[in-house]
Amino acid sequence: MAFLLLMVMLTACAASPRDLSGKMFTFPQQTNTAHVRLTTSRQDFSAVTVCHRSFTDLKRDHALFSLATPSNQNEFLIFWSETNKEIHPHIRQGKTEYGGWDYKPNTWHSICTTWDSASGLVQLWFDGQPSTRRFISSGSNITGSPVIVLGQEQDSLGGGFDIKQSFVGMMTDVHMWNYVLSSCEIHNYVDELNFTPGNVLNWRALDFKITGKVLVEDQLIVCHS
Ligand SMILES: *[C@@H]1O[C@H](CO)[C@@H](O)[C@H](O)[C@H]1NC(C)=O
């Protein structure tokens, strides 16, 4: 009996991946606590692609994707800088600024970021438009157990959130791969066609834990009458 109970408890505690197809996370409130933590068993990345779609009307800085490791809280961070109207990818110890995008409020935007440690090059794809390929950091992997957070920016491993950098809005279709996607694959993602789901984070089999007020809701379907 005690064994059965233990088994039930273990099953309840083990995060089982959930298929979030057609769903989105809604971050309805500005806080320094509400967030979603995404779990992967993988570590040691020599290359990365991260894609996500988001919708917001924030008029201030905010984090879109925050991956920290024990050695660096901005190991892989995608950040909107309102002052400069730029997207800042931080990767390893490096950072770059990409401007000139039409980051319109109240619109879904797809953002994919790729990086490869061999060349050290980063590239960002905003709604399918490629950025300049820039050098950011080469020669070493992203290593150590990653802590991946949506909705907040980590200033320490899994914490150190700043309300003024929190995300308010909706986010969906978050995927992460341990390789650089080809431009065709990125367009398939952006156009919501068939693509190989992330092998590090997969929206269709996502291990996640919500803290605070974040909702899983159906994606908004545009109604044509
Ligand atoms: C970097 O990561 C790749 C893929 O995980 C691995 O094969 C390689 O050994 C790593 N390189 C170093 C220097 O740790």
Side-chain angles (χ1 to χ4, degrees):
M1 186 61 200
F3 176 72
L4 247 174
L5 202 63
L6 183 70
M7 285 308 290
V8 169
M9 280 166 65
L10 282 176
T11 319
C13 290
S16 51
R18 189 165 156 200
D19 183 354
L20 290 183
S21 302
K23 304 282 184 188
M24 62 186 185
F25 289 133
T26 300
F27 301 86
Q29 219 173 20
Q30 170 168 291
T31 73
N32 65 351
T33 49
H35 67 282
V36 183
R37 192 157 156 175
L38 309 181
T39 311
T40 176
S41 55
R42 288 188 191 257
Q43 38 182 299
D44 204 15
F45 306 104
S46 60
V48 171
T49 302
V50 169
C51 292
H52 38 84
R53 256 187 272 288
S54 58
F55 183 112
T56 185
D57 63 347
L58 284 172
K59 290 179 209 71
R60 57 162 171 77
D61 293 354
H62 52 273
L64 292 164
F65 183 92
S66 168
L67 183 156
T69 62
S71 58
N72 181 2
Q73 72 270 23
N74 294 338
E75 188 78 16
F76 195 102
L77 166 68
I78 308 303
F79 191 80
W80 171 256
S81 163
E82 179 69 20
T83 318
N84 306 304
K85 306 271 188 263
E86 288 169 343
I87 300 169
H88 294 177
H90 296 242
I91 302 168
R92 305 285 288 118
Q93 308 301 333
K95 170 194 163 190
T96 191
E97 299 87 19
Y98 285 127
W101 312 113
D102 188 10
Y103 189 56
K104 256 197 279 199
N106 306 313
T107 307
W108 284 101
H109 294 291
S110 301
I111 297 174
C112 292
T113 310
T114 71
W115 168 76
D116 168 46
S117 69
S119 65
L121 297 186
V122 60
Q123 186 165 34
L124 189 136
W125 297 76
F126 182 87
D127 291 338
Q129 270 180 274
S131 74
T132 309
R133 293 167 65 71
R134 293 231 184 99
F135 179 82
I136 193 159
S137 171
S138 71
S140 60
N141 288 358
I142 291 176
T143 56
S145 263
V147 175
I148 304 171
V149 166
L150 303 178
Q152 301 285 344
E153 201 271 323
Q154 302 175 75
D155 280 338
S156 64
L157 196 63
F161 303 147
D162 178 351
I163 193 167
K164 294 198 183 71
Q165 301 183 334
S166 66
F167 178 79
V168 182
M170 291 89 82
M171 190 167 288
T172 188
D173 297 335
V174 181
H175 289 269
M176 177 171 171
W177 298 259
N178 64 356
Y179 56 90
V180 172
L181 260 61
S182 71
S183 56
C184 290
E185 288 174 296
I186 286 179
H187 276 118
N188 288 341
Y189 171 85
V190 171
D191 297 338
E192 301 187 52
L193 304 172
N194 276 335
F195 62 90
T196 307
N199 63 347
V200 180
L201 298 174
N202 177 359
W203 190 254
R204 297 171 207 164
L206 199 69
D207 260 329
F208 65 94
K209 183 172 170 289
I210 288 176
T211 300
K213 199 182 274 300
V214 182
L215 295 89
V216 176
E217 297 192 295
D218 289 335
Q219 270 178 41
L220 309 176
I221 308 296
V222 179
C223 193
H224 301 280
S225 52

